Amino acid sequence: MQILDGKALAQQIETEIKSEVGVLSQKGITPGLAVILVGNDPASQSYVNMKAKACKRIGIYSITHEMPENIAQDSLLQTITMLNANPNIDGILVQLPLPKHIDTTAVLEAIAPHKDVDGFHPFNMGRIFANLAGFVPATPMGVLSLLKHYKIEIQGKNVVIVGASNIVGKPLGALFLNENATITLCHIYTQDLIAHTKNADILCVAVGKPNLITKEMVKQGAIVVDIGISKLPSGQIVGDVDFENVAPLCEFITPVPGGVGPMTIASLLQNTLKSAKLRANH
């Protein structure tokens, strides 16, 4: 059993980005990332802080627009319009989830596709499904980077993804399909989940339910990517997989924390750099 160390790879990616940011700064360009945070959800605040710290480490300019929980949708959209027009901002990221009274789709669609470093705009989503270049959502992108770093063969493999969200499950499925894997996308209405997971060469889980995946659900020699994250009453951070009992069966497995999480932030920084390079060459 080998650990897929996302933390170590993310540090390596940050080092590479930092040197590229240095090259861009010689051309007078500093990559800029704007984050919009609505309300005071502790998990969202913690993610935004982690992103800001990562930007600081590698020389990306970042600004956070903090907005009250009850902000009007029009005000939020006005901020996005302003950021779309700001030539020094390469990436715009709206921290999800948004409060109930705000139409998330309308907000995500308002972001200019060339600044959509989260990859959630339908334009970029469509390009992933058509296997064309664009911005890939950070978590799926991080998962693929991690597997490729460890030289894990994807072509021809049975990949089972549990959790069919627009943010992780669906785009991750498309990325695996583009790598010529056979994909099964499972969700809350899937009947007999174990019949699918037991068949997985690569099992990816993104639900947010501790110990959802037990050792009975995983075949010997599988590769398990745990994308879920939950905080237990004890304060312990865990994923969706019963790590202790599942790990001995696996060829590779991601830890939580230290697996997919750091890769998500590294991928977001890669997307911001990519956008800044497009500006530099424009």
Side-chain angles (χ1 to χ4, degrees):
M1 187 272 293
Q2 195 179 345
I3 293 284
L4 295 168
D5 189 344
K7 197 174 174 185
L9 178 56
Q11 283 170 343
Q12 192 180 315
I13 291 169
E14 278 192 22
T15 306
E16 289 161 15
I17 297 174
K18 193 173 180 174
S19 69
E20 292 204 56
V21 168
V23 173
L24 277 178
S25 69
Q26 287 165 0
K27 297 180 183 175
I29 288 181
T30 301
L33 175 67
V35 179
I36 295 175
L37 174 63
V38 181
N40 45 15
D41 174 65
S44 291
Q45 280 178 324
S46 143
Y47 286 136
V48 168
N49 289 340
M50 275 153 63
K51 288 165 187 171
K53 280 181 185 155
C55 285
K56 197 170 181 180
R57 283 198 298 271
I58 60 171
I60 288 179
Y61 163 77
S62 86
I63 182 164
T64 303
H65 291 266
E66 294 191 21
M67 299 176 173
E69 183 84 24
N70 61 357
I71 187 144
Q73 184 167 312
D74 283 354
S75 304
L76 180 51
L77 292 172
Q78 276 170 355
T79 303
I80 292 173
T81 304
M82 176 190 78
L83 293 168
N84 281 339
N86 184 338
N88 298 317
I89 294 295
D90 299 294
I92 303 169
L93 185 156
V94 177
Q95 185 63 44
L96 301 179
L98 289 167
K100 294 277 184 279
H101 70 280
I102 289 177
D103 178 352
T104 301
T105 305
V107 169
L108 295 178
E109 286 185 350
I111 297 170
H114 69 283
K115 294 191 178 191
D116 169 40
V117 290
D118 247 343
F120 296 158
H121 192 289
F123 175 85
N124 284 315
M125 281 285 185
R127 290 187 73 86
I128 298 170
F129 280 87
N131 200 6
L132 298 169
F135 288 110
V136 176
T139 300
M141 179 177 162
V143 170
L144 266 282
S145 299
L146 194 52
L147 294 176
K148 287 180 175 180
H149 176 73
Y150 281 88
K151 300 189 169 44
I152 290 167
E153 183 67 43
I154 296 172
Q155 185 165 308
K157 291 294 196 295
N158 288 329
V159 175
V160 176
I161 299 166
V162 183
S165 71
N166 288 340
I167 293 173
V168 180
K170 289 180 194 172
L172 184 58
L175 291 182
F176 275 119
L177 202 51
N178 294 343
E179 296 286 339
N180 302 317
T182 300
I183 61 161
T184 305
L185 203 50
C186 301
H187 43 76
I188 199 163
Y189 299 107
T190 299
Q191 294 177 14
D192 195 9
L193 181 61
I194 191 168
H196 297 287
T197 59
K198 199 81 180 161
N199 187 38
D201 301 314
I202 301 173
L203 174 62
C204 301
V205 199
V207 178
K209 192 175 174 191
N211 295 337
L212 174 69
I213 302 297
T214 58
K215 68 172 195 283
E216 293 75 28
M217 300 171 78
V218 180
K219 75 172 180 186
Q220 186 76 38
I223 292 152
V224 174
V225 180
D226 191 347
I227 305 163
I229 188 156
S230 305
K231 197 173 190 176
L232 298 180
S234 65
Q236 189 189 352
I237 302 287
V238 295
D240 291 346
V241 176
D242 174 9
F243 185 89
E244 206 171 309
N245 295 306
V246 170
L249 293 171
C250 301
E251 186 184 350
F252 291 95
I253 188 167
T254 59
V256 177
V260 175
M263 290 303 299
T264 297
I265 292 182
S267 302
L268 170 70
L269 300 172
Q270 284 176 311
N271 276 345
T272 306
L273 174 69
K274 177 177 170 177
S275 180
K277 282 172 152 176
L278 292 171
R279 165 158 69 107
N281 298 329
H282 200 55

